Amino acid sequence: MSTAVPADSIRARDIDRAETSTLLDAAYAEGQLEAGEYHDRVAQARSAKTLGELRRLVADLQTPAATGRLSPGAAHESRSAASRAGTKAGYPPRTRARDADRANAGALIDAGRQDGQLTEEEHRVLTELLGSARTLGELADLVADLQGSRRVPTRPVPAVPPVSGRNPALLLAAGLVAAFVGFAVTSPDSGSPVPEAAPGSAAAPGRDDIAAVVIETPDLLTSAGLAHFLAEYREKFGDMAADSVYLYPEFATIDRAVPGATNREVGYDYRGGFTQSDDITTRRTDTQAMDLGLLDPAAIGTAAANAVEATRVPGGAVSMMIVAIESSGDLAGRPVVRIYVQNEFDESGTVYVDPVGAILDISIFEG
């Protein structure tokens, strides 16, 4: 009798890694990714061992037009899993925005100034916020209370993978997110009427509200950011158990067991708040959960601050951290924090530390 292997644990092929890299290339060209995060994700795609690792790299992207329909493999698996986080109507709000989406939102803001909806100062503030908007949900929030000829189209979720975002503090309320799920801003002359918000509803924030939501979340790869994340994790879930946590400067992804069902696993994204990113899937019952309560944010932050020097990566910076129980190698069965360092040339190194920041191993760049 064969044992079922979770889809995320299936080994990746070279073609799966190539397909994911192709998608990242096209997404970068469309403005969905900034240079640093693009190089970071491409490097991770090249070294990915499983389809689950590849899926995490593309879970929040729109499918770039230039990719067409990729052949079956990691990319297909990634998108089919990612699409479950949204609705049949289209992309979820956390999906990365393209340059074209930002341009269309800018046109709506400009039109709002021209027809008297916005003062000059309000227009200036919104234009500045537009420049830092990274997701479709953030763009939707910026234009939510503007009249004009615009529409919120129903975008079919494509079969190939679209992958995660900026500061989610711009998401004003759950009702606004529901109203704009799958949002892709269109041009002001599209001809469809504006959906009207009920008076006083969260879908029609005032200008003061927009100014107030620009709240920076600490860099999660620092002591302060990690401490902030752990405090919110405990508040959200009431415990500190996790199968794995992937930490990036502005967001994190989490896999954890479903409470009361150790054979079921669910994924979450964290961007200033936690949202379920995957349907519940099968979990190996022998999976060892990590106790995040063991982590010493100050010590790990210090290790991260010293990681560039330790790995000898020229011009490098800490790009991500992975927190989990090691499943293989000399550190198998131990709780480990992997601190990844990378530069713009994809040269990299890794520092392995225990929950209190003690160095267990170092992978040094030997260029």
Side-chain angles (χ1 to χ4, degrees):
M1 179 177 177
S2 61
T3 302
V5 178
D8 280 1
S9 299
I10 294 175
R11 293 284 184 138
R13 305 167 298 173
D14 286 341
I15 191 172
D16 300 325
R17 286 181 278 269
E19 288 171 356
T20 301
S21 295
T22 297
L23 179 62
L24 292 171
D25 292 345
Y28 175 57
E30 286 188 347
Q32 296 188 57
L33 298 171
E34 295 177 346
E37 54 193 0
Y38 161 71
H39 290 299
D40 182 30
R41 294 192 190 192
V42 168
Q44 292 176 56
R46 290 172 180 167
S47 61
K49 298 297 185 184
T50 66
L51 295 183
E53 292 175 69
L54 293 177
R55 177 182 62 80
R56 291 184 181 92
L57 295 175
V58 298
D60 65 337
L61 294 184
Q62 297 183 59
T63 302
T67 61
R69 185 178 177 86
L70 299 178
S71 59
H76 179 82
E77 293 292 336
S78 300
R79 181 50 187 160
S80 62
S83 66
R84 294 195 297 268
T87 68
K88 294 180 179 179
Y91 295 118
R94 70 176 183 277
T95 303
R96 288 298 184 98
R98 305 165 301 168
D99 287 339
D101 299 323
R102 280 182 283 273
N104 288 331
L108 290 171
I109 292 171
D110 290 342
R113 174 68 185 99
Q114 292 171 7
D115 65 13
Q117 295 184 68
L118 301 172
T119 66
E120 183 174 349
E121 178 61 14
E122 289 168 341
H123 177 266
R124 183 189 65 78
V125 170
L126 286 177
T127 300
E128 289 180 356
L129 293 176
L130 179 64
S132 62
R134 302 302 303 162
T135 68
L136 296 179
E138 292 171 1
L139 292 181
D141 289 340
L142 292 179
V143 299
D145 62 345
L146 294 180
Q147 297 186 51
S149 298
R150 66 182 179 90
R151 61 186 177 92
V152 181
T154 55
R155 292 190 66 152
V157 176
V160 292
V163 192
S164 184
R166 185 100 174 169
N167 191 333
L170 289 172
L171 299 178
L172 300 178
L176 183 59
V177 170
F180 283 89
V181 67
F183 176 85
V185 185
T186 58
S187 65
D189 56 358
S190 59
S192 298
V194 181
E196 299 217 0
S201 71
R207 292 298 114 196
D208 291 341
D209 294 325
I210 290 181
V213 296
V214 186
I215 303 171
E216 288 297 326
T217 298
D219 184 335
L220 299 183
L221 304 182
T222 64
S223 298
L226 181 57
H228 178 85
F229 169 79
L230 293 175
E232 294 212 334
Y233 191 94
R234 185 183 297 276
E235 181 178 354
K236 166 67 177 179
F237 299 109
D239 61 46
M240 298 301 284
D243 289 350
S244 65
V245 177
Y246 286 65
L247 294 161
Y248 301 87
E250 297 175 337
F251 69 98
T253 63
I254 304 100
D255 285 322
R256 55 178 276 126
V258 174
T262 57
N263 64 333
R264 296 288 182 264
E265 183 177 78
V266 63
Y268 292 88
D269 286 345
Y270 172 81
R271 297 175 180 81
F274 293 89
T275 57
Q276 185 174 328
S277 58
D278 286 321
D279 284 344
I280 294 174
T281 58
T282 301
R283 177 179 182 268
R284 291 178 62 95
T285 55
D286 60 353
T287 300
Q288 291 182 276
M290 173 76 184
D291 181 2
L292 301 181
L294 298 174
L295 299 180
D296 183 334
I300 293 172
T302 298
N306 296 329
V308 174
E309 181 178 359
T311 56
R312 303 176 190 172
V313 177
V318 177
S319 59
M320 67 177 293
M321 295 193 297
I322 299 178
V323 183
I325 302 293
E326 287 291 306
S327 59
S328 61
D330 295 339
L331 300 177
R334 300 186 61 174
V336 174
V337 180
R338 299 189 193 186
I339 304 172
Y340 291 85
V341 176
Q342 187 176 10
N343 65 16
E344 61 178 322
F345 304 106
D346 293 339
E347 298 165 343
S348 61
T350 307
V351 175
Y352 301 77
V353 301
D354 68 10
V356 294
I359 294 178
L360 303 173
D361 195 9
I362 302 177
S363 175
I364 298 174
F365 172 70
E366 299 177 353

